[in-house]
Amino acid sequence: MTREVRAAVFRPDDGRLEAAVELLESLGATPVPDAMLAVEPTRASAREDADYAIFTSKTGVELVSETDWEPREATVCAIGERTAGTLRDAGYTVDRVPAEFSSAGLVDALADEVDGARVEVARSDHGSAVLTDGLEDAGAYVHETVLYRLVRPPEAGVSSERAADGELEAALFTSSLTVEHFLEAAAARGVRDDALAGLNDGVVGCIGEPTARTAERHGIDVDVVPEEASFDALAAAVVEEAAPSRHE
């Protein structure tokens, strides 16, 4: 028989959390939804005088499109097909999507052509320095616009109590910030140490090596990092790892 897999998921409650719950249920898991991120728009708009305009998330595209931003002659770049699809849906032409959906992948794709170019990076307040530093090292003049802040919802933390009580078989972290917010919520509820122990008794999955490194730095044992940096791949791999069939 296959054991129940109660899996904590931390996606923002903007449609992504609901979709994640549906996916986990379709995989036979019991989701424990606990949004660890909320979007706080800054009302800023991306610059329109750049040679390259880079977007790193679906949320950023949705916010900038509300400001009637125009790319003019800029080469429009997206990290990942999800962001690219949102750009196209908003009426923009997407010129570049790196083969590797990451900041490092985009730097590699642009490094040979941005020397002396003006590059606009429009994203959240928690964007990786890998992107901006890498482009500057390649000779670009980089300007960063913070479109939104990512904050921890005040109600977040039910999953930390479930982990502390031994009631989680799995947890799915999608960014370093979800790891940090989970631990902050656990500390606020007075269960940080027990929650860590509970996570380490189960299966922990992370999207990408940076997220995995953050988790491990905080004492979380990471069991799964899928090759494909997507939530679908993460969910499938974690559920498979956490629910091995066993015969009684």
Side-chain angles (χ1 to χ4, degrees):
M1 62 180 293
T2 302
R3 67 172 180 170
E4 180 185 13
V5 176
R6 294 164 292 189
V9 58
F10 311 114
R11 309 218 78 184
D13 194 9
D14 58 3
R16 282 177 284 181
L17 186 61
E18 181 180 358
V21 165
E22 291 177 357
L23 175 60
L24 286 167
E25 288 176 339
S26 75
L27 294 169
T30 301
V32 179
D34 191 9
M36 286 292 167
L37 299 175
V39 173
E40 188 177 87
T42 64
R43 310 302 177 190
S45 183
R47 292 180 62 167
E48 297 183 342
D49 60 350
D51 301 306
Y52 291 79
I54 295 173
F55 297 93
T56 64
S57 70
K58 174 179 181 289
T59 300
V61 173
E62 290 171 343
L63 290 172
V64 84
S65 67
E66 294 173 0
T67 68
D68 297 321
W69 175 79
E70 292 293 338
R72 298 186 184 178
E73 301 301 315
T75 297
V76 178
C77 308
I79 294 181
E81 287 297 344
R82 181 181 176 87
T83 304
T86 307
L87 280 162
R88 296 186 186 105
D89 290 344
Y92 299 113
T93 297
V94 179
D95 301 298
R96 295 290 181 81
V97 182
E100 178 187 329
F101 298 166
S102 68
S103 294
L106 187 56
V107 170
D108 289 343
L110 299 179
D112 292 338
E113 60 189 78
V114 295
D115 188 14
R118 295 167 298 176
V119 179
E120 169 72 349
V121 177
R123 59 184 185 176
S124 80
D125 63 330
H126 285 277
S128 169
V130 169
L131 179 58
T132 49
D133 289 353
L135 293 170
E136 288 178 344
D137 289 344
Y141 299 100
V142 179
H143 180 269
E144 183 177 10
T145 296
V146 175
L147 298 174
Y148 59 101
R149 299 182 181 90
L150 290 170
V151 299
R152 176 167 59 89
E155 68 274 13
V158 63
S159 62
S160 65
E161 294 185 344
R162 296 286 295 273
D165 290 338
E167 296 177 353
L168 286 183
E169 282 72 46
L172 294 81
F173 292 103
T174 52
S175 67
S176 291
L177 200 55
T178 56
V179 174
E180 292 164 357
H181 283 182
F182 173 89
L183 295 173
E184 289 172 7
R189 294 177 181 232
V191 296
R192 189 182 189 280
D193 290 346
D194 288 340
L196 272 174
L199 287 182
N200 291 337
D201 283 340
V203 174
V204 173
C206 295
I207 288 183
E209 291 297 338
T211 304
R213 287 195 294 271
T214 298
E216 290 167 348
R217 187 171 67 249
H218 287 290
I220 299 172
D221 298 332
V222 177
D223 304 287
V224 174
V225 182
E227 290 188 11
E228 179 187 325
S230 71
F231 185 80
D232 285 13
L234 177 67
V238 167
V239 172
E240 181 178 4
E241 180 72 17
S245 295
R246 64 185 184 187
H247 301 284
E248 293 186 347

